[in-house]
Amino acid sequence: MAEAQSGPSNARKRKYRSDGVSPTWVKRTIEGPGIWATCVKGKEKGTVGELYDLFESLATDMWPIEGHDSSANDRDNGSDAGENEDDLETQIAKEVAALKRPKVEKRFANCLTNTQCVIFISCKPPVDPVKLVMKHVDNVQKTGVTRTKYTHRLTPVSGTCVANLPELHSLCRRTVAAYCAQENSEGSPRARKASLHTHYKVELRVRNHNTLTRMEIIQEVAKCMPSNYTVDLDNPDVFVLVEVFKSTFGMSIVEDYYRFQKFNVMELANAHNEPERFEKGAGRVQDKKQDDNEIM
């Protein structure tokens, strides 16, 4: 009898996980391009909510949806008409019209990690996670406003795959080819420099994975880099970000990784709002850059 009574209660408890994230509204697998985020322990659910709001706001400006503004204006007009006390039939007609509007497909989805302090938000086209994160960290560095409360570090990945060497090699090839094609199409000074010689560094982070060693992963990534790319651990032009989480491998290629405090938004905000804390000898990333300048 006691077991029968405890059954429904346990079922209700299992609906929510220890990190506060309900499996009914998250993806059970980590897939596609997306953004890894670390956060305050125990605040995973709140972090997901604030990242949804942040990413949607940035994506709306960077990749506007056709007809979205007009829908917003319609809603505003409807609210104004409500304030003018329209008759009941008009209000009902407006509500019915609002229900019939096509729903905008969500461009971000939280993927279940079952790990404290670690979150993965997948992105759907046309959202580019690298451009999204670069836009945000640039804003934080200029303003000192993070727009988030619990988020620490953001790490974009242009793609993900199963963490084995053949899949890793294939993803590296695709990511490097896409990055080079994008740089060449934009015609930036860095792209012209890259056509001659480029220095790079692999930034590897491994969590809950013991199948492949760090050296195996780094060597496989190095095999996929173009011939004019040379390893430089002290003064790289680009950074190859590699994230290995359990059985998932993700990577991206970014610039100015150290200048943006390794995409740690809290550190960026502190550097802007409390510059005295980031004088020489106060921060690891800052120290490294200053030491490099002294050597040069």
Side-chain angles (χ1 to χ4, degrees):
M1 179 65 71
E3 294 180 357
Q5 292 178 351
S6 63
S9 176
N10 291 336
R12 286 193 296 271
K13 290 181 180 179
R14 286 195 296 270
K15 182 179 179 182
Y16 295 93
R17 299 184 180 272
S18 59
D19 59 4
V21 178
S22 168
T24 60
W25 57 281
V26 298
K27 298 173 67 174
R28 293 184 177 275
T29 57
I30 299 172
E31 58 185 6
I35 300 171
W36 287 100
T38 57
C39 66
V40 177
K41 183 178 180 180
K43 299 298 183 180
E44 291 82 6
K45 186 175 181 180
T47 304
V48 171
E50 68 184 16
L51 288 179
Y52 271 151
D53 294 339
L54 172 65
F55 293 163
E56 283 291 350
S57 175
L58 293 171
T60 300
D61 294 335
M62 301 175 69
W63 302 280
I65 300 175
E66 295 182 3
H68 181 71
D69 293 339
S70 60
S71 299
N73 292 335
D74 292 342
R75 288 193 296 269
D76 293 339
N77 293 337
S79 62
D80 293 339
E83 293 176 357
N84 294 331
E85 298 183 355
D86 284 348
D87 56 29
L88 182 60
E89 293 182 358
T90 304
Q91 294 181 18
I92 293 176
K94 290 179 179 179
E95 292 178 1
V96 171
L99 293 174
K100 291 182 178 179
R101 290 194 190 101
K103 294 183 178 179
V104 178
E105 184 180 4
K106 293 183 178 180
R107 296 183 283 189
F108 302 96
N110 176 37
C111 298
L112 199 62
T113 63
N114 291 330
T115 303
Q116 291 181 327
C117 306
V118 180
I119 293 168
F120 183 79
I121 306 292
S122 66
C123 307
K124 293 183 178 180
V127 176
D128 184 335
V130 174
K131 292 182 178 180
L132 189 73
V133 171
M134 293 297 290
K135 176 68 172 178
H136 179 54
V137 296
D138 183 59
N139 291 340
V140 174
Q141 187 181 62
K142 291 178 180 177
T143 64
V145 179
T146 64
R147 299 175 62 183
T148 55
K149 185 177 181 181
Y150 307 117
T151 304
H152 287 168
R153 189 189 307 276
L154 299 173
T155 305
V157 290
S158 300
T160 57
C161 68
V162 179
N164 59 55
L165 291 181
E167 292 290 334
L168 187 156
H169 184 88
S170 177
L171 178 62
C172 286
R173 289 290 187 188
R174 298 195 306 270
T175 304
V176 172
Y179 173 79
C180 294
Q182 179 180 348
E183 287 294 296
N184 293 332
S185 63
E186 292 178 354
S188 62
R190 190 182 294 274
R192 291 190 291 271
K193 178 182 177 181
S195 63
L196 300 175
H197 203 73
T198 298
H199 299 95
Y200 75 94
K201 178 181 180 180
V202 177
E203 286 281 342
L204 173 62
R205 184 176 291 106
V206 180
R207 297 188 181 95
N208 302 341
H209 178 87
N210 54 15
T211 303
L212 300 175
T213 65
R214 294 180 63 89
M215 187 55 62
E216 286 177 326
I217 296 173
I218 293 175
Q219 289 177 348
E220 195 65 31
V221 172
K223 293 178 183 178
C224 302
M225 303 305 294
S227 58
N228 60 322
Y229 277 59
T230 305
V231 175
D232 188 339
L233 303 182
D234 297 323
N235 189 30
D237 300 314
V238 298
F239 296 83
V240 181
L241 305 186
V242 179
E243 289 282 331
V244 184
F245 177 79
K246 296 183 179 179
S247 61
T248 302
F249 174 89
M251 71 169 294
S252 62
I253 301 178
V254 302
E255 302 167 3
D256 301 321
Y257 189 55
Y258 286 159
R259 183 167 72 87
F260 289 121
Q261 296 291 330
K262 296 187 175 182
F263 298 164
N264 188 317
V265 293
M266 285 193 172
E267 292 295 325
L268 283 172
N270 291 336
H272 181 276
N273 300 325
E274 304 176 37
E276 64 277 1
R277 289 181 51 191
F278 286 81
E279 295 176 355
K280 185 175 180 179
R284 181 178 62 181
V285 178
Q286 298 284 0
D287 285 349
K288 184 173 182 59
K289 292 171 62 179
Q290 290 170 353
D291 292 341
D292 291 342
N293 293 333
E294 290 176 358
I295 294 174
M296 294 174 63

